[in-house]
Amino acid sequence: MRERWIVGALLAGLLLGACGDPASDTAAPPPARATPEASGAPTSTTRQRPAASPDATGAKGSPAKAPTKAPTVLYLGDSLAMENQDVLGNLLRDRLDARYTSAPYAGTTLCDYLEGTAEPSLVPPADKAAALVRSLRPDFVVLQFWGNSWGYTPCMDGITYDRARKTYLARYESDMTRLAGQITGAGGARAPRIVWVLQGPDAVTPDRVRAVNALYEERASASGELAADAGRTVSPVSARGTWVQYLPCTAYEHEHPAYCTQPDRDRTALHRDDDSLHFCLAPMTSRPKPCPVRSPGILRLTREITRVIAGQVG
């Protein structure tokens, strides 16, 4: 009976690009539902692909010399990771000659990737974090989670930031500890380095994102894990926690004009007018998938993740 309920919940509940907390009075209505078959979340991991050409959405600059030992990188996360995954893979391969696997699932949170729980999950057993670590033996596991908690993230037991802030943050911190422990344990003597990706500012619940980012930073500092402040790259220089739709073009974006969307105003778009959360500048579809167009926000985020990993292996 429980298995039938889980399948029914997944069929009814997996969301397009799902990131949010609809319990908030100011939150937008949840996006349209999609079946798992149309979700865009991989049922198997994305294996190494040929390096991107200069025309790919992960545009190349001058590639740095690859390190002596090419790292193996595993990338897990929610809809933000879903849209980022191809660009990050291209950058890691171009700069570090990395072996790269991604297995993000839209709508997920940390507990979806835990093994050994009785809770329903949006992630199948083969793509749980520990299972992938045992299979792939990565050097780095990059975790990018916005902090989803709503009716379609059932493993959170309905705990939302809006309704129970202290409980939500305590649960989130506990799940961070459990997930990191499972990843480390699965790696055995060659435990991977965990990279916690700090998120960009949020237009709806800015305090929640700041609190989640603080947990990532505290965890990394106390444990020897890594924090990649990718969210800083999509924030105003003088206001790290303030959401904006546009930022001044960087030197890189000026050199690669496709990434400076409004050169006459010296600014580039991070978000679409109809989506304050995601960074892909293409419209969202009924099947979540990697972003198909050049998007400055995605490139900024993934360049910072790549920089942090390169600093550990270069």
Side-chain angles (χ1 to χ4, degrees):
M1 176 65 74
R2 184 175 184 84
E3 291 180 355
R4 289 198 296 271
W5 181 90
I6 292 172
V7 171
L10 292 177
L11 290 173
L14 190 61
L15 293 181
L16 161 64
C19 276
D21 185 345
S24 171
D25 292 337
T26 57
R33 299 179 183 179
T35 64
E37 290 80 4
S39 70
T43 55
S44 61
T45 52
T46 303
R47 304 295 176 181
Q48 184 173 1
R49 293 182 294 273
S53 72
D55 293 331
T57 55
K60 297 193 293 183
S62 299
K65 183 178 179 181
T68 302
K69 179 183 181 298
T72 299
V73 180
L74 173 62
Y75 184 40
L76 307 177
D78 52 28
S79 61
L80 293 171
M82 173 69 74
E83 64 182 8
N84 290 349
Q85 61 182 315
D86 282 358
V87 178
L88 179 61
N90 290 337
L91 290 172
L92 288 169
R93 283 188 291 267
D94 291 342
R95 180 167 182 184
L96 303 176
D97 196 27
R99 296 178 58 197
Y100 172 78
T101 299
S102 58
Y105 284 82
T108 57
T109 194
L110 297 170
C111 56
D112 283 295
Y113 281 88
L114 288 170
E115 287 187 330
T117 68
E119 298 299 327
S121 172
L122 302 180
V123 177
D127 283 346
K128 298 290 190 180
L132 289 174
V133 169
R134 287 190 293 268
S135 171
L136 300 169
R137 314 302 295 179
D139 300 298
F140 298 89
V141 177
V142 181
L143 301 174
Q144 181 162 10
F145 291 93
W146 185 84
N148 288 327
S149 179
W150 53 3
Y152 301 100
T153 310
C155 66
M156 280 294 289
D157 301 320
I159 301 169
T160 66
Y161 180 80
D162 181 71
R163 294 174 180 169
R165 297 187 179 191
K166 290 183 179 179
T167 303
Y168 167 88
L169 293 172
R171 169 64 187 274
Y172 204 77
E173 184 175 19
S174 173
D175 286 345
M176 288 175 62
T177 301
R178 293 175 66 194
L179 186 60
Q182 289 191 2
I183 290 170
T184 301
R190 288 189 60 251
R193 296 290 300 277
I194 295 173
V195 182
W196 299 97
V197 179
L198 276 61
Q199 300 303 312
D202 183 66
V204 177
T205 55
D207 290 342
R208 187 199 58 77
V209 170
R210 293 188 191 104
V212 168
N213 282 345
L215 291 179
Y216 291 150
E217 290 183 296
E218 291 165 7
R219 169 81 199 180
S221 177
S223 66
E225 295 160 3
L226 302 171
D229 192 2
R232 174 185 54 80
T233 69
V234 291
S235 307
V237 172
S238 60
R240 170 62 178 84
T242 300
W243 183 91
V244 292
Q245 185 176 3
Y246 300 92
L247 280 177
C249 295
T250 64
Y252 179 92
E253 289 160 355
H254 281 300
E255 293 169 5
H256 300 79
Y259 290 93
C260 185
T261 62
Q262 296 183 5
D264 55 325
R265 304 178 68 177
D266 188 26
R267 70 178 193 177
T268 197
L270 304 177
H271 305 279
R272 290 174 53 85
D273 292 342
D274 58 358
D275 187 345
S276 66
L277 173 60
H278 298 91
F279 293 91
C280 184
L281 296 185
M284 294 186 70
T285 65
S286 61
R287 179 173 181 169
K289 60 184 178 180
C291 185
V293 300
R294 292 181 180 88
S295 299
I298 288 178
L299 190 60
R300 290 182 181 216
L301 294 168
T302 53
R303 280 167 62 91
E304 178 61 16
I305 296 169
T306 301
R307 185 193 69 79
V308 169
I309 294 175
Q312 299 298 311
V313 299

